Amino acid sequence: MLCALIMAGGKGERFWPLSTDEKPKQFLNLLGNETMIQMTVKRLEELIPIERVFVVTAKRYVELVREQLPNLPERNIIVEPVGKNTAPCIALSAFIINKCYGDASIVVLPSDHLIVDENKFRKTIDMANEFVENCDSAIVTLGMRPDRPETGYGYIKYSEIEKTLDEFEIRKVDKFEEKPDLDKAKRYLSEGNFLWNGGMFVWKCSTVLNLTKEYLCNTYEVLSEIAAASEEEFNKVLESKYHQVDSVSVDYGIMEKAKNIYVIPADFGWDDIGTWYSVERYREKDDNNNVCVGDIKNIEGSNNIVVSKEKPIVVVGLDDVFVVESDDIIFVGKKEDIERIKEIKKKVC
């Protein structure tokens, strides 16, 4: 049995000023009429029923999850009382899913990615699940074939083929690499055995919990105590104990140490919608290469990103600028400063 765990607790600061602490990017319509989290859940419909889709999020975003995913069962909203990075929230979720569905497999997914070929995406997950179901304690991650020397993503180095299922190769993972500089990224691309780490993986509840117990002993002990609480006392115990877990990413805390880990090289058209440049890649452009969202007039200008929430915006005779209207602020800057959004936000807010 396959369940989905969607991680939706991030702040999305690189999409400021549209993304805020109160309503971060996973709850925004960045690429179309649906929000990022709605797109994530919808693409799973043909593979996993909504009863087996779980969302882990921060307490402050629970109402947004309810509002945007009205068909999601209430029990499937897993609440982190305080942000402690990805390893504890995944382990907490594994305890809860295990209570509901026993030793089910879990596909862990970010809530803010773009997938172009959704049929192939679902088939890739299905093949990963088939391998995990027949290989005790295995983890299968999905690695994206790089088409450029990207410095904003982590990488996965792979080696020999472990197994072939249909047209999918399942390869042994050699190591995970942090975000590289440009020279390293170019080398990874030329060597041909490196993939982008999309943060998507399939494993069984028992594998999550056993590896947490082995590598994050304190976190496992705290979460075990929380999981043992009665239904009536669960939220109270969660609130009082969860802050004691280790704050560590699943990559650093578990993945980089795990032995039985594999990767499927994937090519279903993936992007981490991480900055306004990502939106520029996929939004429709006018004849002058401008991305215009909302009521925009772009006159004698090119290569601009202009986003209006309510008011009409007129841009005249400017190239390579970035304009975003939010509820609280209008941001105007050069596109070259998009990578400095978090730094700029700290100076303004």
Side-chain angles (χ1 to χ4, degrees):
M1 181 179 294
L2 179 62
C3 298
L5 175 64
I6 298 169
M7 295 185 291
K11 295 181 179 179
E13 291 180 292
R14 289 178 293 177
F15 277 96
W16 182 81
L18 208 58
S19 176
T20 64
D21 290 350
E22 290 72 33
K23 194 173 186 179
K25 68 172 178 176
Q26 59 267 33
F27 302 108
L28 299 178
N29 306 64
L30 293 173
L31 297 178
N33 296 325
E34 295 176 308
T35 66
M36 300 302 295
I37 193 169
Q38 287 171 333
M39 292 170 65
T40 302
V41 171
K42 187 175 181 180
R43 73 173 64 105
L44 293 170
E45 284 179 354
E46 295 181 25
L47 181 64
I48 304 171
I50 193 69
E51 292 78 17
R52 300 206 305 267
V53 174
F54 292 78
V55 174
V56 59
T57 191
K59 183 162 50 175
R60 69 194 306 181
Y61 304 139
V62 169
E63 286 306 316
L64 284 170
V65 172
R66 288 175 178 150
E67 175 188 320
Q68 295 194 6
L69 302 173
N71 295 326
L72 187 73
E74 184 71 23
R75 70 164 190 176
N76 291 25
I77 303 175
I78 299 169
V79 184
E80 257 196 309
V82 59
K84 285 288 189 175
N85 217 316
T86 52
C89 78
I90 291 171
L92 170 67
S93 302
F95 270 111
I96 291 170
I97 293 170
N98 188 63
K99 280 187 177 181
C100 297
Y101 293 108
D103 192 19
S105 297
I106 307 172
V107 56
V108 179
L109 302 167
S111 58
D112 53 4
H113 286 182
L114 171 74
I115 305 294
V116 177
D117 188 339
E118 296 187 348
N119 285 328
K120 193 161 191 179
F121 168 74
R122 287 187 289 268
K123 191 169 183 182
T124 307
I125 292 174
D126 200 30
M127 291 300 100
N129 180 49
E130 182 177 330
F131 183 80
V132 165
E133 290 283 352
N134 292 287
C135 185
D136 283 346
S137 73
I139 307 169
V140 177
T141 184
L142 309 187
M144 271 41 74
R145 299 185 190 277
D147 58 10
R148 61 184 184 273
E150 176 63 58
T151 60
Y153 303 153
Y155 284 73
I156 301 167
K157 183 180 181 183
Y158 66 83
S159 57
E160 71 276 3
I161 296 176
E162 180 73 18
K163 192 169 186 177
T164 301
L165 295 172
D166 288 348
E167 74 269 30
F168 296 93
E169 295 176 351
I170 298 176
R171 291 181 172 268
K172 186 71 178 173
V173 169
D174 272 357
K175 62 192 300 192
F176 290 87
E177 298 282 1
E178 297 296 323
K179 296 175 183 178
D181 59 26
L182 185 57
D183 287 341
K184 267 190 179 180
K186 288 179 178 177
R187 177 167 60 82
Y188 293 167
L189 190 62
S190 67
E191 289 182 6
N193 62 332
F194 286 85
L195 304 166
W196 288 333
N197 183 1
M200 298 180 278
F201 36 91
V202 180
W203 49 0
K204 287 188 176 181
C205 285
S206 58
T207 305
V208 181
L209 298 178
N210 289 338
L211 291 175
T212 303
K213 184 176 183 179
E214 181 175 358
Y215 297 122
L216 299 170
C217 184
N218 170 67
T219 294
Y220 181 82
E221 290 178 2
V222 173
L223 294 178
S224 294
E225 188 174 348
I226 294 169
S230 66
E231 187 174 340
E232 294 75 19
E233 293 290 314
F234 181 82
N235 289 333
K236 180 180 177 182
V237 177
L238 179 67
E239 287 279 352
S240 66
K241 295 288 185 181
Y242 191 75
H243 70 278
Q244 298 174 13
V245 301
D246 305 290
S247 182
V248 61
S249 72
V250 70
D251 282 348
Y252 183 77
I254 293 177
M255 294 296 178
E256 292 181 7
K257 302 178 176 71
K259 310 267 188 315
N260 203 12
I261 184 161
Y262 305 87
V263 63
I264 297 179
D267 56 0
F268 42 66
W270 168 90
D271 206 332
D272 174 8
I273 305 302
T275 74
W276 286 106
Y277 284 127
S278 309
V279 173
E280 183 182 41
R281 281 198 288 273
Y282 297 102
R283 277 281 189 175
E284 185 177 348
K285 301 174 183 66
D286 65 18
D287 292 340
N288 293 311
N289 206 42
N290 298 299
V291 174
C292 300
V293 181
D295 189 356
I296 311 296
K297 294 291 187 297
N298 223 313
I299 302 170
E300 298 173 1
S302 62
N303 301 313
N304 300 316
I305 303 173
V306 189
V307 180
S308 166
K309 187 171 177 64
E310 294 180 354
K311 297 181 177 64
I313 297 177
V314 180
V315 178
V316 181
L318 296 177
D319 302 324
D320 301 302
V321 298
F322 169 60
V323 183
V324 176
E325 176 205 7
S326 71
D327 288 334
D328 305 311
I329 194 172
I330 296 175
F331 180 96
V332 182
K334 298 176 181 178
K335 273 171 57 179
E336 65 190 41
D337 289 325
I338 283 176
E339 299 292 353
R340 298 176 53 228
I341 285 287
K342 289 174 71 173
E343 173 192 336
I344 294 167
K345 179 188 175 185
K346 288 178 183 177
K347 293 179 179 179
V348 174
C349 299

